[in-house]
Amino acid sequence: MTYHPDNFVVWTEIPTTDMDRAIGFYQAVLQTELTVDDTGPNPIAIFRTQTPGSGTAGHIYPGIPAARGAGPTVHFNAPGPLEDSLERVKTAGGTVVSPIITIPAGRFAYCEDLDGNSIGMMERG
């Protein structure tokens, strides 16, 4: 039997060397509020979905990011036009590292956050 879940990815974790700075970056780029939770062994800042407990989300946490270009890429839904999201990445101190790429599902671009984590901004078609 072959395993085919509704979602292969159930959660993402993005390490950061500076929680406050990373929270500010992601809130500015994604035009959202992250929820800080310090009830576990490490504080985390959670990307909230529209309906709690539904969809795939994740968090940022204090940790050691992979070397630039060496870690996995987390792709985010771009709020609004992709070009606007890429401008917010730059304004918030991140880096846009690719041109906009068109695929059947929409358009996206690769970026790096303040710690050099690879992220993608995606505008669905």
Side-chain angles (χ1 to χ4, degrees), residues 45-98:
I46 301 168
F47 299 101
R48 298 183 309 184
T49 56
Q50 183 174 6
T51 304
S54 70
T56 302
H59 67 257
I60 55 177
Y61 70 98
I64 301 170
R68 287 188 186 275
T73 301
V74 175
H75 290 266
F76 291 96
N77 282 311
L82 181 57
E83 290 81 2
D84 293 353
S85 293
L86 299 180
E87 282 303 315
R88 287 192 301 275
V89 166
K90 293 187 269 187
T91 298
T95 307
V96 176
V97 297
S98 80

Side-chain angles (χ1 to χ4, degrees), residues 3-110:
Y3 181 58
H4 294 287
D6 288 336
N7 298 293
F8 267 101
V9 176
V10 296
W11 195 256
T12 62
E13 295 183 321
I14 301 172
T16 182
T17 58
D18 185 324
M19 283 291 287
D20 290 335
R21 195 172 80 139
I23 289 169
F25 173 82
Y26 282 103
Q27 287 184 154
V29 170
L30 298 173
Q31 297 185 320
T32 193
E33 286 187 37
L34 276 67
T35 302
V36 176
D37 181 337
D38 60 2
T39 61
N42 293 308
I44 60 175
I46 301 168
F47 299 101
R48 298 183 309 184
T49 56
Q50 183 174 6
T51 304
S54 70
T56 302
H59 67 257
I60 55 177
Y61 70 98
I64 301 170
R68 287 188 186 275
T73 301
V74 175
H75 290 266
F76 291 96
N77 282 311
L82 181 57
E83 290 81 2
D84 293 353
S85 293
L86 299 180
E87 282 303 315
R88 287 192 301 275
V89 166
K90 293 187 269 187
T91 298
T95 307
V96 176
V97 297
S98 80
I100 293 174
I101 301 163
T102 301
I103 59 175
R107 306 178 317 139
F108 76 98
Y110 290 105

